[in-house]
Amino acid sequence: MGNVESSCYENHLSRFLPEEKTDIDEVFDTLSGSDGSGELKTGKATRKAVTLAMLKARVQEALPEQMTFRLYSGMKSVDLTGKSSGSSEQIVKEQFIIFMSALLKGNVEEKSSIIMRMISSTEGPVKGKQIQEFTEDVITSVVHVLSYRNLLKGWNLGKTQDPTSGVKVLASQLLSELKLEDRKKLAGPPLMDAMCDQSTIANWVFQVPLISTFLSVIIRQGLLVLHSLPDQANNIVNLIPKCKGIKGSGFVSLLDIPSIIYINSHLPSELQHKWRLLFSSRVHGESFSQLCGQIINKGPCILILKDLDGYIFGGFASESWEVKPQFQGDNRCFLFSISPSLMVHTYTGYNDHYMYLNHGQQTIPNGLGMGGQHDYFGLWIDSNYGKGHSKAKPRCTTYNSPQLSANENFTLDAMEVWAVGDLPESAVIKGKKSILDTDPEAQALLEMTGKSRQSDGLREQIEEDDDN
């Protein structure tokens, strides 16, 4: 290796701490084999090297085979000679180190150079369809490796939706940030046939941080490199939250793992580490009073709704819900859709109608709403549980969101609410009281209709079930 190439390699190597260098050395030695099977003869010298078969043996079932091949193509593309890359089918240590440095610690230009060859092993621009396939492979691999390494942190693939459709929906969302040189965004058939060069990929990686995070998780957990060092935790802690409150129930979430990751990435960082189930209509019953009893004074929450047409959507409430005639919350609130498309809609600054919850009033709306205005909410659940609306012509004034449900007025099929982050200290005591405990009039009205208090005996389960 000449002085220029040697200097480049040393620069990449210097990015790693001593303990990281030791870990990478050990992984490469294991990959290349200690029996001499992974040796590359270069003139008179013999160097350790890694083949695709050796990489597969290291990864085994931790990653899908297609992703293992993509990693191999990325490593092989690292050019140490100044000639065309990929001249050898074996990967030497310098290539391995530079690959790790570029994807784990490099800038967007370095990452995009490797990603281009992970998308396609041939030189030159890549097609939009190839980028889509790569993105879907990346998301699939993240879900797979987290499950394989038991890193789903309480989430269970049997208690969430099948991630297959979620992978495609999340991939479409991430690809929506792909822009050509004229800054034009592409979607649908035009994207599939578009030719994208490295600068396009670099801009995309810069605009979509999840791509780098996903690749980091795939490399660290798939190859078990740098996975046990302290800074590794940062890649997973905020990627998927710890799941609480589902132990011992027949609960199956409306969400899949890709949508959980995406919605969690938009929460304030201090709230991304944990989600706790507060309410599920399929567990607690279809009752507005039960809903209120579970979410009041429980801190920031995520609401997820599914209408009878199969559309899934919801909102993030940045503060504890309170029953009162005024709007509440702050500009951290947002609305979102999950199916058939995945999108987050944040505040516009037009007004402060972030959150609204009222009950038992005769002159103003009774129900739960987010965005818009009275009788014209971006998201509304009527106190007559089961009915709601999402009105936006053309957009919700507060969040710039479109109509989230299939029809403007919808019938609710299912709903769930998650507290995010740590519960406020007062929630342990006050959170056990429902609106019926604090509003005798509401309790009396319920009893007059001959309905029982469904919430009794149910409210303590979620709070006390802390270990999954």
Side-chain angles (χ1 to χ4, degrees), residues 398-418:
T398 311
Y399 299 112
N400 198 36
S401 55
Q403 178 180 303
L404 301 175
S405 49
N407 298 297
E408 188 175 83
N409 296 293
F410 63 85
T411 300
L412 194 59
D413 178 44
M415 179 178 180
E416 61 194 55
V417 182
W418 297 83

Side-chain angles (χ1 to χ4, degrees), residues 15 38 83 200 212 327 351 374 412 438:
R15 292 174 172 175
K83 301 176 183 178
T200 301
S212 296
F327 284 93
N351 58 37
H374 291 325
L412 194 59
T438 57

Side-chain angles (χ1 to χ4, degrees), residues 126-192:
V126 294
K127 281 189 174 184
K129 181 174 177 57
Q130 292 174 302
I131 304 173
Q132 180 189 44
E133 292 170 350
F134 166 78
T135 307
E136 291 180 1
D137 281 350
V138 166
I139 300 168
T140 297
S141 299
V142 167
V143 176
H144 181 92
V145 76
L146 290 178
S147 177
Y148 185 82
R149 301 293 188 199
N150 296 316
L151 292 172
L152 286 178
K153 298 160 74 172
W155 297 98
N156 186 322
L157 291 180
K159 291 192 174 184
T160 54
Q161 301 301 308
D162 185 333
T164 304
S165 62
V167 165
K168 293 185 176 298
V169 173
L170 178 53
S172 294
Q173 166 54 34
L174 300 184
L175 287 167
S176 70
E177 295 297 327
L178 190 67
K179 302 174 185 176
L180 297 182
E181 290 184 358
D182 58 5
R183 310 305 295 167
K184 181 181 179 181
K185 288 187 177 182
L186 296 174
L191 169 61
M192 297 300 97

